[in-house]
Amino acid sequence: MSTTSQELDQKQAVTALRRKDLLGIAELSPGEIELILDTAEAMKEVGTRPIKKVPALRGKTVVNLFFEPSTRTRTSFEIAEKRLSADTLSIAIGTSSVVKGETLADTALNLEAMSPDMIVLRHASSGACHFLSRVCRSAIINAGDGMHEHPTQALLDAFTIRERKKQLAGLKVAIVGDLLHSRVLRSNIHLLTKLGADVWVCGPPTLIPTDIRRFGVTPTSVVEEAVRDADVIMLLRIQLERMEGAYFPSLREYFRVFGMTEERLLLAKSDVMIMHPGPMNRGVEIASEVADGPYSVILDQVANGVAVRMAVLYLLAGGVEHEEAAYGRASRRSRERD
Amino acid sequence: MKRLLTGGRVVDPANGIDGVHDVLIEDGRIARVGRDLPVDDATVLEIPSGLVVCPGLIDMHVHLREPGQEHKETVASGVASAVAGGFTAVACMPNTTPVNDNANVTLLILAKAAEAKLAHVYPIGAVSKGSKGELLADIAELKQAGCVAITDDGHPVATALLMRRALEYAGMFGMPVIEHCEDPSLKGDGVAHEGFHAASLGLRGIPGAAEALGVERGVLLSELTGSAFHVAHMSARASMRAVRNGKDVGVRVTCEVAPHHFTLTDEALGSPIPYDTNTKMNPPLREAADRDAMLAGIVDGTVDVIATDHAPHHYDEKKVEFDRAPFGIVGLETAVPLSLDRLVHSGLIRLPRLVELLSTAPARILRVPGGSLSPGSPADITILAPDLKVRIRASQLRSRSKNTPFDGWELRGGVAATIIHGRTVYVNPEMGSGVI
């Protein structure tokens, strides 16, 4: 690559994500993450105006394709799309229609025949977004795929931390809960380690993924170790059905060993932030006093979700416009290969 | 009718032969192997130098899908794939629809194979009726109809007690029990090897211990009953240890490894194509230490057989989300190039050992004809081209299904021709016309 085209690339990187899709944090560079977070700051300002609307995505069609129940994420995306003036529609497909026989690829190709620009996908299968990105020409935004990634959640978490702490580098972040089944965990690990945070993960050994150290984090099953001097504590939802897999004996016992109580909170830094991606199980992973207490930023996370998703949509739309010709070719090629 | 194969390097480990010899074929059988045999009235077939003449390869683990799943493969398309891969015989698994648990299904498969007139087909019967793990199948009937072994492949035999009975009962007929070793509760709803890559991609894991538990069970029950026990598609290092320990104390245990398990690791789940469903098989692609243990077992003799676990699936079935895709890949037409490239050219083993793994040992374990070029044996012969530059092209496979993770791979070594009962049934078009 010549010097001039490198310079050109850097210039473009300031205004657009040079990619067709947002499949996960794993693929993003620290620079791209910073770009999204910076853009989200501007987008947050839009939400404070009396008329909360900008024309950035006018004439673009965005389909929210949700194969799993979701209130928070879907609403957040819808509001973000509307604030950017996109034409949006949301399709909630129960798993039952999959049983009826249409494959994910066929569903997506049928939608694509109606020429949307972006598809926001939530799906129970890890890798569903990677799969669709190979089949579809539209930009794919991952709104949560199985146990793999939930990139916009990690971005809004980082945005919320950055708002308070200015930067992520050097912060001790403790993530406590069901690590094994959590897509929020995986996206957050990628993002936090890329931006230089010291990440501790904590849960019973039954719920810690294999070889977690290779992700560059410190695992522990002693919650006090994880939260000691932490700048940020992030709780992950404990799914009630996990008891059936014998991952732990009871919710009561989980709370006893890992629950975030006011006493445990005292071990953390005095300006600790308490975060939760929701939905919360009060009295399981988090005591109500902590969730409702002064350190909790849980509702700020939800508020920031809209700004961060506006940023992602805006940047990807710019990317699509910019790279239309090139990505069109690549997408057709991959379809032929399939 | 006589044919004289002359000028090739003959590798026949069963008879300790490795050198330039002539092979005389008479009426579909091997008449003689030796130097400078008289031509007499035989048709002479000059083998170009550099090619290797060996006993026909036998794949003791394939899924031909017929009856019932003909959209994936048929007996006819399966044997066409087999001969193109250098195999003169295949043993086919009973997990068809219906299951091969009675003579009708066995005879149907054999009739289709006779019609196809390509590779020999040796059906393998079910251990239990419907492979349901409850009642033993009519094993004597299966044997009489032509089955050479029994297995509930696709699943492990349901209980230790049923496995014990199967070993005892099939032992009466000298039939080995072939086991898909797996503890179902440890496997759970896993779809990939439990390791860093599955954790990173958010895929549910299957630990190596799930397989090794099944191997340990089989080895113990083989010791208890004195019957022959064969481990199918072995993938985990702990399984290799269990087989090695069993052999050390004289247990009648044998095992096979598939080319994908000595070639690939779970790294393939994420690259070059993330979540490529052609990297999904059961047992799964495991981590490097397991792959290296498979190679070590091949080198030190713990591994008896290379078998492909050829598992064709229609592209519709594979073109879905990773966790919804069926397990398995096709293997018949990629086994020889992978074996030559990864085992022989890498310097791990020499050609006679490879022929042992692909021909001599499977013939011995299944007690079927072939596996050697001894006079009187059927003239089932594979001619290998160890230095042929091969490019795997999924779209060109003879199999009805194209589900391979090796599309586009360039490998050194391939098949030049396949001869069954003295008749040339396959010549590799890449060899150039008129060479063989």
Side-chain angles (χ1 to χ4, degrees), chain B residues 276-412:
Chain B
D276 182 358
T277 55
N278 286 331
T279 62
K280 180 176 176 181
M281 58 286 277
N282 189 20
L285 297 175
R286 299 208 183 269
E287 57 200 57
D290 293 301
R291 193 263 322 266
D292 294 347
M294 297 307 110
L295 291 171
I298 287 168
V299 171
D300 73 17
T302 308
V303 174
D304 298 277
V305 168
I306 292 171
T308 66
D309 192 10
H310 177 82
H313 291 294
H314 193 270
Y315 74 85
D316 275 346
E317 297 166 308
K318 280 288 197 180
K319 198 179 173 184
V320 294
E321 303 88 308
F322 193 90
D323 53 1
R324 298 176 65 88
F327 292 104
I329 60 168
V330 292
L332 281 166
E333 293 166 74
T334 49
V336 164
L338 287 168
S339 299
L340 284 168
D341 191 283
R342 295 306 159 113
L343 303 177
V344 177
H345 292 309
S346 68
L348 289 175
I349 60 171
R350 289 148 57 86
L351 260 175
R353 171 69 178 139
L354 183 65
V355 173
E356 198 175 275
L357 288 158
L358 282 166
S359 176
T360 319
R364 186 185 68 235
I365 290 166
L366 295 178
R367 303 184 180 197
V368 296
S372 80
L373 299 176
S374 305
S377 318
D380 296 343
I381 293 170
T382 302
I383 301 176
L384 300 172
D387 293 311
L388 183 69
K389 201 177 146 197
V390 171
R391 187 183 166 87
I392 309 287
R393 278 170 297 186
S395 62
Q396 302 298 307
L397 296 178
R398 258 73 162 183
S399 170
R400 188 167 275 198
S401 294
K402 318 293 178 196
N403 50 314
T404 174
F406 301 112
D407 189 27
W409 280 44
E410 286 187 1
L411 298 162
R412 183 173 157 210

Side-chain angles (χ1 to χ4, degrees), chain A residues 41 157-173 192 197 229-233 268-275 295 297:
Chain A
E41 276 177 28
D157 290 342
F159 184 84
T160 309
I161 298 171
R162 216 176 68 156
E163 256 188 341
R164 302 256 173 150
K165 309 276 185 194
K166 305 304 170 217
Q167 59 166 17
L168 279 79
L171 296 182
K172 177 175 178 181
V173 181
L192 294 167
D229 299 322
D231 298 283
V232 178
I233 299 172
K269 289 228 177 98
S270 57
D271 59 347
V272 68
M273 298 169 66
I274 297 291
M275 308 180 77
Y295 304 101
V297 296

Side-chain angles (χ1 to χ4, degrees), chain B residues 156-283:
Chain B
V157 170
T159 65
L161 178 66
L162 189 68
M163 178 53 101
R164 176 195 178 163
R165 298 289 186 242
L167 283 163
E168 286 170 335
Y169 194 83
M172 165 169 70
F173 309 111
M175 293 166 98
V177 178
I178 300 173
E179 172 73 330
H180 169 116
C181 294
E182 177 180 283
D183 180 279
S185 70
L186 270 187
K187 186 218 169 206
D189 50 6
V191 296
H193 171 64
E194 186 176 295
F196 171 74
H197 294 284
S200 172
L201 294 166
L203 298 173
R204 288 175 214 282
I206 306 171
E211 176 184 284
L213 266 176
V215 176
E216 296 277 12
R217 181 182 86 167
V219 169
L220 287 169
L221 293 173
S222 173
E223 185 179 27
L224 178 68
T225 59
S227 298
F229 172 70
H230 179 80
V231 182
H233 47 51
M234 201 159 74
S235 67
R237 56 192 192 271
S239 304
M240 190 68 70
R241 200 165 61 220
V243 168
R244 194 175 285 129
N245 291 344
K247 287 186 167 190
D248 280 350
V249 296
V251 177
R252 293 179 63 196
V253 56
T254 53
C255 69
E256 72 194 28
V257 171
H260 49 270
H261 284 130
F262 67 65
T263 303
L264 296 171
T265 66
D266 57 352
E267 210 179 332
L269 296 166
S271 73
I273 305 172
Y275 299 97
D276 182 358
T277 55
N278 286 331
T279 62
K280 180 176 176 181
M281 58 286 277
N282 189 20

Side-chain angles (χ1 to χ4, degrees), chain B residues 417-436:
Chain B
T418 309
I419 296 171
I420 294 176
H421 277 317
R423 184 169 69 96
T424 303
V425 292
Y426 171 77
V427 178
N428 188 342
E430 302 289 316
M431 296 300 297
S433 60
V435 175
I436 291 179

